[in-house]
Amino acid sequence: MQKGNIGVTTENIFPVIKKFLYSDHEIFLRELVSNAVDATQKLKTLSSIGEYNGELGDLTVHVAVDKEKETITVSDHGIGLTTEEIDKYINQIAFSGANDFLEKYKNDANAIIGHFGLGFYSAFMVAKKVEIVTKSYQEGSHAVKWSCDGSPEFTIEECDKAERGTDIILHIDDDCKEFLEENRLSGLLKKYCSFLPVSIAFGKKKEWKDGKQVETAEDNIINDSNPLWTRKPGDLKDEDYKNFYRELYPMSDEPLFWIHLNVDYPFHLTGVLYFPKVKSNIELNKNKIQLYCNQVYVTDSVEGIVPDFLTLLHGVLDSPDIPLNVSRSYLQSDSNVKKISTYITKKVSDRLQSIFKNDRKQFEEKWNDLKIFINYGMLTQEDFYERARNFALFTDTDGKHYTYEEYNTLIKENQTDKDGNLVYLYAANKDEQYAYIETAKNKGYSVLLMDGPLDIAIVGMLEQKFEKSHFTRVDGDVIDNLIVKEEKKADTLKAGQSEALTAIFKSQIPQMEKAEFHIQPMAMGENSQPITITQSEYMRRMKEMANIQAGMSFYGEMPDMFNLVVNTDHPLVKGILTDEESSCAAKLTPLQAALEENEKQIDVLKKAQEGKKDEEISTDEKDEKEALHKKQDELKTQKEAVYAAYAADNKIVRQLVDLALLQNGMLKGEALNKFVTRSIELIK
Ligand code: ADP
């Protein structure tokens, strides 16, 4: 028996490995099984180039648990290790055997490079003692047993082993007993080893017999050693891609599209990315893409490796050129990773572009599901916008789709305002904004439907990108103000009429929380509705942005501001004005006279004080001024009270207000109930 010290400078390498090297202890299994797979692959390579002429035999790698002995054993029938190799590759841990091998078999070695550095030593994360029992493929080799209890000391001795290959035996530490549970282990095998290129067996297949699960004689193979992404796209059918998707995500709906990636130069990358079908507005699931390195599972966090918007996709990426076990920030600056990310973006946009070009019908049918990805991509990645703007679609309120360019051509003539700005009209809800959409359509305008979760942001972005264009929601103002084609007609109202209408309608708006109304009399033509409620585009957008963006809560707290536009051309409104004039005159005339008189006195006082400094004005004068202003306010309040009293008795005013609110889904509770009762009265 030989004894020795493991060739590292620090005495305490194992506690370091155990605590800091890997955050996740469970990866020991991945490391050991992939070493076994590497050893098997190496043997196959040697055999194929004639350097090994013996029988290959069954190359299945076996993982076994012995609950009594508290061991986990990983066995392979690969190349095995000689005493010298153990010394070189295991004892001198700074040495990585893969380099030697790669140097020797450069052209065949691609698939067999171990990329995990201190892989083998990760066994000490869960084991208090590790044994290697191994016999090299080389003729005349003796089997050897290496044993180490976690201190830098090891023993090595000859032993009996009939077959070529390696058994790694872990004596599991007391605080890691969980790994002796069959379920835990099979879960880990599923996670890390599902697609390893050599068959992996874990126990025996089970079957149901007499109501019980019993073991059969057949090995329980836990992996698919020839997964879809490693196969040629030409050999694969749609069904294969769908089946593989189901294997990866058993709970998901069928994917919309997939993209098979396969590059050899200037980096290696294979994989399949799927566009999943997402139920709109639900929380989007990032981190569904699994990252592999030569079919060994590494992580499901691909942030930093693929552009942010593509983390929404599903599927598998496999590349030995992505540095592992490094920090994310390092990853982002790695030039290979950058190239990979650019390549994937290009592939994704090429694929979308080609579906759009070759099968526009299918593209349009799936647009609703696709647009979340495309919009997110355009918002977050300039180079993707440049590609996607050719196939990104607008949808109008009738469900018709247009490319940005087609839509521009469609509306250019009719929706350019007097200043040469192109106005894009949109609705956020087809039902709630029905009346506004109809009004716009009657003018011959087109209205887009922007009801997706990212649409507000897209509107903002496109306004920056499109020249001399802006977007406005159909209920942002009355239609003639949304697209102003000519200078406004002069107001046809007589003095005081505007004030009267404002006071009358204002008094009849029901109390609403967090909503403020501004009354705006306007001549809109006899055929337009008597009352329209609009909401300023600017304030609404600010509030919407506040909901999705931090630091804008100020806007979120503000009440909603609405305009209640009273159409002074409408016969009903005209009727109210004439009726008000005759029925309020008796009360209003003296108030009006008093107001005018008061106004005069204020003017006189103002003139007298003109040019004087504050200290030159006497206290008496100041008091007088204050009294006059107070009087003025009182008179105004009295006037408003007269209008309000009139309006309260006028069923038409309240009815018109309520109808406009109703049309916007804003009439609720008591106000709605009163409206119904009043309506019944009116038709009786
Ligand atoms: P890496 O796999 O990155 O080289 P490891 O620490 O996992 O690093 O392994 C060190 C070396 O030990 C390997 O390169 C390989 O030569 C040898 N080795 C490990 N496991 C086995 C095995 N099951 N069969 C044969 N050789 C092995």
Side-chain angles (χ1 to χ4, degrees), residues 35-36 38-39 42 76 79-81 89-90 96-98 114-121 166 168:
N35 275 353
D38 284 348
K42 285 177 187 171
D76 65 64
I79 54 172
L81 290 153
Y89 300 136
I90 302 293
S96 185
H115 256 256
F116 299 106
L118 288 171
F120 166 73
Y121 279 91
T166 306
I168 308 282

Side-chain angles (χ1 to χ4, degrees), residues 31-40 42 74-76 78-81 85-86 88-90 93 95-99 101 113-122 132 134 165-168:
E31 299 300 309
L32 298 181
V33 176
S34 56
N35 275 353
V37 166
D38 284 348
T40 310
K42 285 177 187 171
V74 179
S75 314
D76 65 64
I79 54 172
L81 290 153
E85 284 166 344
I86 289 190
K88 190 169 169 193
Y89 300 136
I90 302 293
I93 66 168
F95 236 82
S96 185
N99 290 338
F101 191 85
I113 320 159
H115 256 256
F116 299 106
L118 288 171
F120 166 73
Y121 279 91
S122 65
I132 306 175
T134 182
T166 306
D167 300 333
I168 308 282

